[in-house]
Amino acid sequence: MPVTGGAPQAPPTPQPPGLNIVVLDPAHGGTDLGARGTGGIRESDIVLEFAAQVRGALEAQGFQVIQTRQGNANPSFDDRSAMANAQRGAIFVTLHIATTGVAGTARVYVMNDLPLAADSTGLIPWDRAQAPFLSLSRKLGDLVEGNLAQRFKGSPTFAQTASVRQLRTTAAPAIAVEVSSVTVEDRAELDHMAPGVADAIARGAAAFRPSYIVPTNPGERP
Ligand SMILES: [Zn+2]
């Protein structure tokens, strides 16, 4: 653009970076096998396989994906949260295979209400890091659950609330996705769900993207 006046042109204001990172948490791992089914199905194994497909679907939507574990490790809850809390412009998705629920359905959970009490320093205590993000988490959760409900009949229409340990300490929009269930006799029933679950998470995250104005500093309140 030509400069018409004598005043120096202000440098272009940098666009605030938007949501572009998904921290993907295949739950359990290591000695923690998670839920176990009668057919020898282990939650800790299946969530890793789901994660590979979710990752592919998210990358196809332009997201950078950081996994909390690649192989059979078992990072602590705090380590997993810390990976999300260190990012700027990230959401957190933890993957589980449930012991309950009708086989072939999937539910999204968001953390139930946490009191937003700050301590005397004005800082939000670590174990309530999720509190300022609850409404964003619900929005993300509803978008993902809506996509899941279209693919997996009998799934709820909206995200449910629960006390989910991995979400509590996460300072980012955060959801848990639970696929039902480890009680299927043939694990192929679960394998067949993975592409649909991956697609629903990726579409939900993409739909959520414009509504998340990313805080300037990591861990800052939205
Ligand atoms: Zn689990």
Side-chain angles (χ1 to χ4, degrees):
M1 192 162 56
V3 179
T4 52
Q9 242 185 346
T13 311
Q15 284 291 104
L19 167 63
N20 51 32
I21 299 169
V22 178
V23 176
L24 188 58
D25 177 44
H28 312 287
T31 53
D32 172 12
L33 302 175
R36 300 179 79 170
T38 47
I41 293 170
R42 291 173 175 185
E43 180 184 9
S44 60
D45 293 338
I46 296 187
V47 289
L48 262 189
E49 291 166 29
F50 269 67
Q53 298 206 33
V54 174
R55 178 183 199 125
L58 285 165
E59 287 174 347
Q61 292 281 359
F63 290 102
Q64 179 195 341
V65 177
I66 297 170
Q67 271 185 230
T68 56
R69 68 177 175 104
Q70 301 283 345
N72 195 26
N74 184 18
S76 71
F77 289 128
D78 286 350
D79 286 347
R80 296 177 198 237
S81 292
M83 291 178 75
N85 298 355
Q87 308 306 320
R88 187 171 164 197
I91 57 174
F92 181 83
V93 179
T94 179
L95 295 172
H96 292 260
I97 310 297
T99 51
T100 57
V102 177
T105 63
R107 276 163 309 287
V108 177
Y109 290 95
V110 298
M111 189 71 206
N112 51 18
D113 282 330
L114 287 165
L116 188 56
D119 67 16
S120 56
T121 62
L123 295 172
I124 295 167
W126 165 254
D127 66 352
R128 285 187 214 143
Q130 177 60 199
F133 294 89
L134 279 174
S135 63
L136 285 166
S137 297
R138 280 192 201 105
K139 182 160 195 173
L140 171 63
D142 285 344
L143 287 164
V144 172
E145 185 69 84
N147 276 283
L148 287 167
Q150 286 176 24
R151 286 163 185 76
F152 303 110
K153 293 223 179 307
S155 302
T157 315
F158 296 102
Q160 323 282 297
T161 58
S163 182
V164 182
R165 176 60 184 83
Q166 286 102 315
L167 304 183
R168 177 183 262 276
T169 47
T170 300
I175 62 171
V177 177
E178 282 213 355
V179 177
S180 292
S181 69
V182 290
T183 63
V184 295
E185 297 209 341
D186 182 356
R187 65 162 289 169
E189 289 182 52
L190 284 168
D191 296 338
H192 287 152
M193 294 178 72
V197 169
D199 189 54
I201 292 171
R203 284 174 191 264
F208 176 73
R209 203 179 228 153
S211 51
Y212 185 27
I213 309 302
V214 173
T216 310
N217 298 306
E220 194 179 322
R221 292 165 73 156

